[in-house]
Amino acid sequence: MRVVVSRSGGIAGIRTTWEVQVDDQPDASDWTRFLDTLPWDEVAAEAPQPDRYAYRIRCAPHEVVLGEQQVRGPWKELIDRVRGANEKT
């Protein structure tokens, strides 16, 4: 299972992407449990805000797009985990 987080927007409009292959993680079962608890179907669409980031999170069959203002709780934790896994490699 692969998780891909793409961040775009901001003042410069640069896209940055992080990804993690869950099955390759030493705590893969923790990742899987965490991903299963995310509220994938409860994300409300919000209009993008100028000069703020937008995050696209993909983990098949799920995909959500969050405005920077929506990145809190479990979504923030997921983004931080994916980014952290990329820093270790």
Side-chain angles (χ1 to χ4, degrees):
M1 177 181 342
R2 185 171 69 136
V3 181
V4 180
V5 176
S6 297
R7 181 184 72 192
S8 61
I11 294 172
I14 296 171
R15 178 179 306 272
T16 304
T17 301
W18 305 276
E19 65 180 79
V20 64
Q21 188 65 38
V22 171
D23 301 328
D24 294 343
Q25 299 303 304
D27 57 346
S29 60
D30 291 338
W31 275 89
T32 301
R33 277 193 297 276
F34 176 66
L35 291 167
D36 287 342
T37 66
L38 290 169
W40 295 102
D41 298 325
E42 299 172 21
V43 174
E46 290 190 19
Q49 295 181 352
D51 298 331
R52 300 211 50 195
Y53 290 120
Y55 292 83
R56 178 177 304 274
I57 302 170
R58 292 171 292 186
C59 180
H62 305 290
E63 182 173 342
V64 296
V65 177
L66 304 168
E68 183 177 6
Q69 69 280 3
Q70 294 174 286
V71 176
R72 58 187 176 272
W75 298 115
K76 179 167 179 11
E77 183 178 345
L78 175 61
I79 291 167
D80 289 347
R81 286 180 77 166
V82 173
R83 288 178 70 175
N86 277 252
E87 290 171 1
K88 293 177 185 175
T89 58

XYZ file of all heavy atoms in Angstrom:
716
model
N 0.843 -1.165 0.000
C 0.000 0.000 0.000
C 0.894 1.235 0.000
O 1.865 1.310 0.730
C -0.884 -0.030 1.257
C -1.746 1.159 1.409
S -2.799 1.187 2.897
C -2.855 -0.461 3.470
N 0.524 2.194 -0.829
C 1.325 3.406 -0.967
C 0.471 4.608 -0.572
O -0.685 4.711 -0.943
C 1.796 3.539 -2.405
C 2.726 4.692 -2.645
C 3.307 4.612 -4.031
N 2.266 4.861 -5.012
C 2.413 5.643 -6.067
N 3.553 6.227 -6.312
N 1.424 5.827 -6.900
N 1.074 5.541 0.170
C 0.432 6.792 0.541
C 1.229 7.916 -0.105
O 2.452 7.982 0.043
C 0.405 6.997 2.073
C -0.290 8.302 2.427
C -0.268 5.826 2.775
N 0.526 8.794 -0.832
C 1.163 9.915 -1.511
C 0.512 11.202 -1.022
O -0.713 11.332 -1.048
C 1.018 9.810 -3.041
C 1.692 10.992 -3.722
C 1.578 8.494 -3.551
N 1.334 12.130 -0.569
C 0.870 13.446 -0.136
C 1.537 14.480 -1.032
O 2.765 14.533 -1.113
C 1.233 13.719 1.342
C 0.827 15.135 1.744
C 0.586 12.690 2.257
N 0.724 15.288 -1.705
C 1.238 16.371 -2.541
C 0.748 17.688 -1.973
O -0.440 17.834 -1.673
C 0.738 16.241 -3.987
O 1.213 15.066 -4.557
N 1.661 18.611 -1.823
C 1.313 19.951 -1.345
C 1.590 20.929 -2.472
O 2.670 20.928 -3.057
C 2.149 20.315 -0.122
C 1.794 21.700 0.434
C 2.698 22.067 1.568
N 4.036 22.373 1.020
C 5.119 22.511 1.750
N 5.075 22.367 3.054
N 6.283 22.785 1.186
N 0.616 21.762 -2.774
C 0.811 22.769 -3.802
C 0.242 24.089 -3.318
O -0.476 24.146 -2.322
C 0.139 22.345 -5.112
O -1.249 22.193 -4.913
N 0.572 25.132 -4.052
C 0.062 26.453 -3.696
C 1.081 27.247 -2.916
O 2.272 27.139 -3.153
N 0.579 28.025 -1.980
C 1.456 28.930 -1.258
C 1.803 30.110 -2.155
O 1.330 30.220 -3.285
N 2.603 30.980 -1.682
C 2.950 32.187 -2.437
C 3.700 31.833 -3.719
O 3.447 32.394 -4.777
C 3.760 33.160 -1.557
C 2.863 33.668 -0.436
C 4.310 34.313 -2.384
C 3.562 34.476 0.612
N 4.613 30.858 -3.660
C 5.406 30.499 -4.836
C 4.697 29.506 -5.748
O 5.088 29.336 -6.900
C 6.748 29.912 -4.401
N 3.676 28.824 -5.262
C 2.942 27.872 -6.081
C 3.701 26.602 -6.418
O 3.408 25.933 -7.394
N 4.678 26.244 -5.631
C 5.516 25.075 -5.895
C 4.841 23.818 -5.353
O 4.286 23.823 -4.260
C 6.900 25.254 -5.246
C 7.617 26.435 -5.896
C 7.720 23.979 -5.359
C 8.903 26.832 -5.199
N 4.912 22.734 -6.122
C 4.357 21.446 -5.694
C 5.477 20.601 -5.081
O 6.559 20.473 -5.653
C 3.750 20.696 -6.866
C 3.205 19.320 -6.470
C 2.591 18.587 -7.645
N 1.574 19.377 -8.310
C 0.286 19.394 -7.982
N -0.139 18.663 -6.980
N -0.565 20.150 -8.654
N 5.172 20.030 -3.934
C 6.088 19.122 -3.262
C 5.329 17.826 -2.986
O 4.164 17.875 -2.582
C 6.581 19.714 -1.925
O 7.168 20.990 -2.181
C 7.594 18.821 -1.262
N 5.979 16.705 -3.207
C 5.318 15.415 -3.010
C 6.179 14.529 -2.113
O 7.391 14.465 -2.272
C 5.081 14.716 -4.363
O 4.263 15.565 -5.170
C 4.390 13.380 -4.185
N 5.497 13.881 -1.179
C 6.121 12.880 -0.314
C 5.319 11.603 -0.459
O 4.114 11.636 -0.654
C 6.078 13.305 1.150
C 6.667 14.636 1.432
C 7.987 14.940 1.638
C 5.965 15.890 1.555
N 8.143 16.283 1.876
C 6.911 16.891 1.832
C 4.631 16.267 1.461
C 6.572 18.221 2.017
C 4.289 17.585 1.640
C 5.259 18.549 1.910
N 5.993 10.479 -0.367
C 5.259 9.219 -0.402
C 5.945 8.186 0.469
O 7.133 8.285 0.768
C 5.073 8.711 -1.824
C 6.318 8.333 -2.565
C 5.981 7.844 -3.971
O 5.725 8.680 -4.841
O 5.974 6.607 -4.161
N 5.129 7.223 0.864
C 5.644 6.143 1.689
C 4.997 4.841 1.225
O 3.812 4.801 0.916
C 5.389 6.398 3.196
C 3.923 6.429 3.525
C 6.096 5.388 4.056
N 5.830 3.819 1.146
C 5.336 2.471 0.871
C 5.111 1.824 2.230
O 6.062 1.486 2.934
C 6.360 1.692 0.030
C 5.875 0.372 -0.461
C 4.723 0.498 -1.437
O 4.675 1.393 -2.262
N 3.780 -0.412 -1.328
N 3.863 1.699 2.603
C 3.510 1.233 3.954
C 4.099 -0.141 4.243
O 4.613 -0.383 5.334
C 1.975 1.235 4.140
C 1.577 0.563 5.442
C 1.448 2.661 4.078
N 4.039 -1.046 3.280
C 4.519 -2.411 3.506
C 6.014 -2.476 3.816
O 6.480 -3.453 4.392
C 4.214 -3.284 2.286
C 2.719 -3.334 1.996
O 1.935 -3.270 2.958
O 2.351 -3.403 0.813
N 6.762 -1.439 3.460
C 8.202 -1.405 3.713
C 8.553 -0.790 5.069
O 9.732 -0.758 5.431
C 8.920 -0.610 2.619
C 8.833 -1.292 1.263
O 8.521 -2.503 1.208
O 9.067 -0.592 0.245
N 7.556 -0.297 5.785
C 7.804 0.352 7.071
C 7.920 -0.694 8.180
O 7.198 -1.700 8.175
C 6.686 1.339 7.404
C 6.541 2.454 6.400
C 7.829 3.230 6.252
O 8.384 3.746 7.214
N 8.308 3.317 5.020
N 8.800 -0.472 9.156
C 8.931 -1.442 10.249
C 7.657 -1.554 11.077
O 7.411 -2.585 11.709
C 10.097 -0.900 11.084
C 10.280 0.510 10.659
C 9.718 0.643 9.278
N 6.831 -0.520 11.070
C 5.563 -0.528 11.814
C 4.373 -0.543 10.853
O 3.379 0.158 11.059
C 5.496 0.672 12.756
C 5.669 2.005 12.037
O 6.105 2.001 10.860
O 5.372 3.045 12.634
N 4.453 -1.377 9.820
C 3.434 -1.408 8.768
C 2.036 -1.664 9.317
O 1.066 -1.056 8.855
C 3.792 -2.462 7.727
N 1.903 -2.523 10.293
C 0.568 -2.806 10.838
C -0.007 -1.580 11.539
O -1.214 -1.326 11.462
C 0.601 -4.012 11.780
O 1.467 -3.781 12.861
N 0.836 -0.778 12.192
C 0.372 0.471 12.815
C -0.098 1.450 11.749
O -1.117 2.123 11.916
C 1.473 1.118 13.653
C 1.802 0.319 14.891
O 0.964 -0.478 15.342
O 2.930 0.494 15.410
N 0.650 1.557 10.655
C 0.258 2.416 9.541
C -1.111 1.991 9.007
O -1.985 2.820 8.784
C 1.283 2.329 8.412
C 2.455 3.234 8.536
C 3.629 2.969 9.167
C 2.580 4.545 7.987
N 4.481 4.033 9.039
C 3.861 5.016 8.317
C 1.740 5.361 7.238
C 4.326 6.268 7.941
C 2.195 6.615 6.851
C 3.474 7.057 7.209
N -1.280 0.697 8.779
C -2.530 0.186 8.209
C -3.708 0.483 9.119
O -4.755 0.952 8.658
C -2.420 -1.323 7.937
O -1.321 -1.542 7.035
C -3.692 -1.872 7.333
N -3.543 0.238 10.405
C -4.619 0.538 11.367
C -4.945 2.022 11.346
O -6.114 2.417 11.341
C -4.231 0.095 12.777
C -4.475 -1.371 13.047
C -4.368 -1.697 14.525
N -3.038 -1.454 15.069
C -2.029 -2.308 14.999
N -2.188 -3.467 14.399
N -0.859 -2.010 15.520
N -3.918 2.865 11.339
C -4.127 4.311 11.331
C -4.865 4.741 10.060
O -5.833 5.505 10.123
C -2.783 5.033 11.455
C -2.891 6.524 11.355
C -3.563 7.249 12.327
C -2.346 7.198 10.284
C -3.674 8.630 12.229
C -2.450 8.579 10.183
C -3.119 9.291 11.159
N -4.434 4.252 8.909
C -5.070 4.622 7.645
C -6.530 4.190 7.606
O -7.382 4.891 7.050
C -4.300 4.018 6.468
C -2.912 4.610 6.233
C -2.125 3.726 5.270
C -3.013 6.032 5.714
N -6.836 3.058 8.219
C -8.216 2.576 8.251
C -9.123 3.442 9.117
O -10.344 3.413 8.951
C -8.264 1.132 8.764
C -7.734 0.130 7.740
O -7.654 0.482 6.542
O -7.408 -0.998 8.149
N -8.549 4.216 10.046
C -9.375 5.043 10.933
C -9.623 6.447 10.390
O -10.429 7.177 10.960
C -8.725 5.180 12.325
O -7.508 5.921 12.217
C -8.486 3.819 12.965
N -8.942 6.817 9.316
C -9.096 8.177 8.793
C -10.498 8.398 8.227
O -11.066 7.502 7.604
C -8.049 8.454 7.712
C -6.623 8.572 8.239
C -5.632 8.564 7.087
C -6.466 9.828 9.056
N -11.052 9.590 8.414
C -12.407 9.883 7.925
C -12.426 10.248 6.432
O -12.804 11.358 6.040
C -12.833 11.060 8.810
C -11.551 11.772 9.120
C -10.512 10.678 9.227
N -12.042 9.315 5.599
C -11.905 9.559 4.162
C -13.179 10.121 3.533
O -13.110 10.967 2.654
C -11.510 8.273 3.439
C -10.161 7.752 3.819
C -9.895 6.717 4.672
C -8.889 8.215 3.354
N -8.533 6.522 4.770
C -7.895 7.422 3.967
C -8.496 9.222 2.483
C -6.539 7.599 3.734
C -7.147 9.407 2.244
C -6.182 8.594 2.866
N -14.335 9.628 3.954
C -15.596 10.030 3.328
C -16.246 11.229 3.995
O -17.350 11.613 3.622
C -16.570 8.849 3.338
C -16.037 7.669 2.535
O -15.363 7.907 1.513
O -16.280 6.517 2.941
N -15.590 11.818 4.965
C -16.184 12.923 5.705
C -15.530 14.272 5.418
O -15.798 15.242 6.113
C -16.099 12.625 7.206
C -16.855 11.372 7.604
C -16.613 10.974 9.047
O -16.206 11.837 9.845
O -16.818 9.791 9.365
N -14.705 14.331 4.404
C -14.019 15.584 4.081
C -14.952 16.473 3.266
O -15.429 16.072 2.207
C -12.710 15.311 3.308
C -12.071 16.610 2.855
C -11.745 14.510 4.167
N -15.204 17.646 3.783
C -16.055 18.612 3.080
C -15.208 19.407 2.094
O -14.107 19.852 2.428
C -16.705 19.548 4.084
N -15.731 19.574 0.897
C -15.030 20.369 -0.107
C -15.068 21.837 0.307
O -16.108 22.353 0.703
C -15.675 20.196 -1.468
N -13.921 22.472 0.267
C -13.823 23.893 0.592
C -13.088 24.595 -0.540
O -12.176 24.035 -1.132
C -13.076 24.111 1.911
C -13.850 23.652 3.115
C -13.215 24.084 4.428
O -12.381 25.021 4.428
O -13.545 23.480 5.454
N -13.499 25.807 -0.806
C -12.846 26.589 -1.853
C -11.404 26.874 -1.456
O -11.116 27.152 -0.286
C -13.593 27.899 -2.072
N -10.477 26.798 -2.417
C -9.085 27.119 -2.102
C -8.954 28.583 -1.690
O -9.697 29.442 -2.163
C -8.335 26.847 -3.402
C -9.365 26.755 -4.458
C -10.674 26.461 -3.816
N -8.024 28.837 -0.807
C -7.779 30.195 -0.343
C -6.481 30.699 -0.957
O -5.507 29.956 -1.070
C -7.694 30.224 1.185
C -9.003 29.842 1.838
C -8.910 29.895 3.356
O -7.854 30.074 3.938
N -10.046 29.729 3.999
N -6.455 31.977 -1.349
C -5.256 32.528 -1.982
C -4.016 32.402 -1.088
O -4.106 32.582 0.131
C -5.602 34.001 -2.195
C -7.072 34.103 -2.041
C -7.510 32.959 -1.184
N -2.908 32.067 -1.713
C -1.599 32.007 -1.051
C -1.529 30.998 0.091
O -0.658 31.089 0.949
C -1.166 33.389 -0.543
C -0.995 34.391 -1.663
O -0.674 33.959 -2.785
O -1.212 35.590 -1.432
N -2.427 30.020 0.108
C -2.383 28.962 1.110
C -2.154 27.637 0.400
O -2.425 27.488 -0.781
C -3.683 28.927 1.914
C -3.871 30.263 2.610
C -4.572 30.303 3.883
N -4.152 29.390 4.913
C -4.926 29.168 5.971
N -6.100 29.752 6.088
N -4.520 28.360 6.916
N -1.665 26.681 1.143
C -1.395 25.369 0.571
C -2.677 24.561 0.405
O -3.636 24.732 1.152
C -0.439 24.575 1.463
C 0.960 25.108 1.487
C 1.528 25.534 2.674
C 1.717 25.172 0.332
C 2.830 26.014 2.711
C 3.027 25.647 0.360
C 3.564 26.063 1.556
O 4.849 26.535 1.588
N -2.634 23.648 -0.554
C -3.650 22.615 -0.722
C -2.915 21.277 -0.693
O -1.806 21.154 -1.223
C -4.394 22.788 -2.035
N -3.506 20.293 -0.055
C -2.907 18.968 0.077
C -3.796 17.941 -0.608
O -4.997 17.885 -0.350
C -2.768 18.586 1.553
C -1.766 19.413 2.299
C -2.097 20.661 2.811
C -0.471 18.949 2.509
C -1.178 21.430 3.504
C 0.462 19.708 3.200
C 0.099 20.941 3.693
O 1.015 21.701 4.379
N -3.198 17.135 -1.464
C -3.890 15.998 -2.073
C -3.276 14.750 -1.452
O -2.054 14.540 -1.532
C -3.716 15.985 -3.590
C -4.390 14.797 -4.264
C -4.259 14.851 -5.774
N -4.777 16.087 -6.318
C -6.055 16.300 -6.645
N -6.937 15.346 -6.451
N -6.434 17.457 -7.149
N -4.123 13.936 -0.848
C -3.667 12.723 -0.178
C -4.304 11.537 -0.877
O -5.531 11.471 -1.009
C -4.053 12.736 1.319
C -3.455 13.979 1.993
C -3.589 11.457 1.996
C -3.970 14.219 3.400
N -3.452 10.612 -1.326
C -3.932 9.429 -2.033
C -3.442 8.173 -1.343
O -2.262 8.045 -1.021
C -3.443 9.438 -3.476
C -4.073 10.547 -4.295
C -3.423 10.654 -5.623
N -2.055 11.145 -5.368
C -1.198 11.469 -6.290
N -1.487 11.309 -7.543
N -0.015 11.937 -5.980
N -4.375 7.271 -1.138
C -4.086 5.931 -0.622
C -5.205 5.055 -1.176
O -6.311 5.032 -0.629
C -4.056 5.922 0.901
S -3.700 4.305 1.599
N -4.939 4.424 -2.305
C -5.985 3.710 -3.049
C -6.811 2.813 -2.124
O -6.236 2.154 -1.252
C -5.351 2.887 -4.160
N -8.095 2.886 -2.249
C -8.902 3.560 -3.262
C -9.325 4.976 -2.846
O -10.197 5.574 -3.463
C -10.139 2.663 -3.358
C -10.338 2.207 -1.944
C -8.931 2.035 -1.385
N -8.705 5.522 -1.836
C -9.105 6.822 -1.295
C -8.273 7.964 -1.865
O -7.098 7.794 -2.179
C -8.944 6.842 0.232
C -9.677 5.742 0.919
N -11.034 5.689 1.008
C -9.219 4.642 1.561
C -11.399 4.612 1.673
N -10.315 3.954 2.013
N -8.917 9.128 -1.935
C -8.220 10.356 -2.305
C -9.015 11.529 -1.731
O -10.238 11.576 -1.856
C -8.114 10.497 -3.812
C -7.358 11.733 -4.236
C -7.093 11.785 -5.730
O -7.178 10.741 -6.403
O -6.788 12.878 -6.222
N -8.296 12.437 -1.077
C -8.932 13.643 -0.554
C -8.076 14.847 -0.904
O -6.867 14.724 -1.104
C -9.141 13.600 0.986
C -10.106 12.503 1.380
C -7.841 13.460 1.726
N -8.720 16.000 -0.982
C -8.025 17.266 -1.167
C -8.424 18.154 -0.001
O -9.613 18.347 0.267
C -8.392 17.936 -2.506
C -7.698 19.287 -2.622
C -8.007 17.035 -3.672
N -7.418 18.647 0.701
C -7.647 19.472 1.881
C -6.992 20.827 1.703
O -5.851 20.910 1.252
C -7.022 18.813 3.124
C -7.446 17.391 3.455
C -6.523 16.807 4.515
C -8.880 17.372 3.925
N -7.704 21.861 2.096
C -7.090 23.166 2.180
C -6.230 23.221 3.428
O -6.444 22.452 4.381
N -5.265 24.093 3.436
C -4.360 24.212 4.589
C -5.139 24.348 5.899
O -4.754 23.788 6.922
C -3.448 25.408 4.371
C -2.409 25.617 5.435
C -1.486 26.790 5.125
O -1.699 27.523 4.145
O -0.535 26.958 5.899
N -6.245 25.063 5.860
C -7.060 25.284 7.055
C -7.732 23.997 7.544
O -8.161 23.920 8.693
C -8.107 26.380 6.795
C -9.212 25.999 5.834
C -8.847 26.086 4.361
O -7.710 26.382 4.000
N -9.811 25.836 3.488
N -7.808 22.956 6.711
C -8.426 21.690 7.091
C -7.418 20.678 7.640
O -7.813 19.614 8.102
C -9.125 21.069 5.880
C -10.307 21.854 5.375
C -10.840 21.249 4.094
O -10.225 21.391 3.043
N -11.965 20.559 4.185
N -6.151 20.997 7.571
C -5.111 20.054 7.997
C -4.949 20.160 9.509
O -4.198 20.984 10.027
C -3.785 20.326 7.257
C -2.685 19.403 7.777
C -3.964 20.156 5.768
N -5.685 19.286 10.170
C -5.635 19.213 11.629
C -6.031 17.796 12.041
O -6.503 17.024 11.230
C -6.548 20.265 12.259
C -7.988 20.166 11.862
C -8.807 21.345 12.403
N -10.162 21.299 11.938
C -10.613 21.830 10.807
N -9.783 22.451 10.005
N -11.875 21.722 10.458
N -5.815 17.492 13.293
C -6.187 16.169 13.796
C -5.486 15.052 13.048
O -4.277 15.115 12.800
N -6.244 14.021 12.658
C -5.612 12.860 12.013
C -4.978 13.184 10.664
O -4.012 12.532 10.273
C -6.768 11.863 11.856
C -8.009 12.680 11.916
C -7.693 13.857 12.803
N -5.500 14.181 9.952
C -4.899 14.545 8.670
C -3.510 15.141 8.873
O -2.582 14.827 8.134
C -5.795 15.505 7.884
C -7.107 14.893 7.547
C -8.340 15.282 7.994
C -7.333 13.742 6.729
N -9.305 14.452 7.489
C -8.714 13.500 6.702
C -6.494 12.908 5.999
C -9.280 12.454 5.978
C -7.055 11.850 5.282
C -8.427 11.638 5.272
N -3.365 15.974 9.870
C -2.041 16.536 10.174
C -1.090 15.423 10.586
O 0.066 15.390 10.169
C -2.120 17.599 11.259
C -0.744 18.180 11.601
C -0.833 19.422 12.412
C 0.488 20.022 12.807
N 1.694 19.554 12.217
N -1.594 14.502 11.404
C -0.757 13.382 11.839
C -0.297 12.552 10.639
O 0.871 12.158 10.548
C -1.515 12.501 12.823
C -0.673 11.373 13.365
C -1.403 10.505 14.378
O -2.460 10.902 14.898
O -0.886 9.401 14.649
N -1.193 12.306 9.697
C -0.822 11.532 8.514
C 0.243 12.259 7.694
O 1.250 11.659 7.308
C -2.049 11.263 7.640
C -1.749 10.551 6.315
C -1.131 9.180 6.546
C -3.003 10.461 5.472
N 0.023 13.531 7.433
C 0.996 14.301 6.654
C 2.351 14.301 7.350
O 3.386 14.074 6.720
C 0.476 15.726 6.406
C -0.721 15.678 5.448
C 1.585 16.627 5.852
C -1.509 16.961 5.367
N 2.358 14.509 8.655
C 3.616 14.504 9.409
C 4.299 13.143 9.349
O 5.522 13.052 9.223
C 3.372 14.903 10.860
C 3.013 16.382 11.021
O 3.189 17.167 10.056
O 2.516 16.742 12.112
N 3.518 12.068 9.425
C 4.095 10.713 9.367
C 4.723 10.441 8.000
O 5.820 9.869 7.913
C 3.037 9.660 9.676
C 2.668 9.591 11.144
C 1.638 8.542 11.417
N 2.273 7.225 11.393
C 1.711 6.126 11.846
N 0.481 6.162 12.337
N 2.334 4.978 11.798
N 4.014 10.825 6.940
C 4.537 10.594 5.597
C 5.804 11.408 5.371
O 6.807 10.907 4.857
C 3.464 10.874 4.517
C 4.061 10.795 3.121
C 2.299 9.906 4.656
N 5.758 12.672 5.766
C 6.957 13.512 5.624
C 8.110 12.954 6.448
O 9.252 12.908 5.993
C 6.659 14.955 6.064
C 5.782 15.688 5.078
C 5.473 17.072 5.545
N 6.670 17.896 5.476
C 6.702 19.175 5.731
N 5.595 19.820 6.096
N 7.819 19.875 5.637
N 7.833 12.508 7.664
C 8.863 11.946 8.532
C 9.483 10.687 7.953
O 10.695 10.475 8.036
N 8.674 9.847 7.329
C 9.183 8.619 6.710
C 10.111 8.969 5.557
O 11.104 8.274 5.313
C 8.034 7.747 6.226
N 9.839 10.056 4.853
C 10.692 10.488 3.746
C 12.015 11.050 4.249
O 13.026 10.925 3.573
C 9.975 11.542 2.895
C 9.054 10.909 1.880
O 9.321 10.918 0.705
N 7.965 10.320 2.348
N 12.019 11.639 5.409
C 13.248 12.200 5.967
C 14.204 11.108 6.419
O 15.403 11.308 6.472
C 12.923 13.132 7.131
C 12.236 14.415 6.672
C 11.722 15.253 7.806
O 11.903 14.872 8.984
O 11.111 16.287 7.521
N 13.670 9.922 6.734
C 14.501 8.809 7.195
C 15.221 8.131 6.048
O 16.179 7.421 6.257
C 13.640 7.775 7.919
C 13.073 8.285 9.212
C 12.166 7.257 9.839
C 11.496 7.818 11.091
N 10.527 6.889 11.638
N 14.701 8.317 4.814
C 15.312 7.611 3.674
C 16.374 8.443 3.021
O 16.525 9.588 3.191
C 14.238 7.224 2.631
O 13.569 8.403 2.189
C 13.284 6.227 3.214
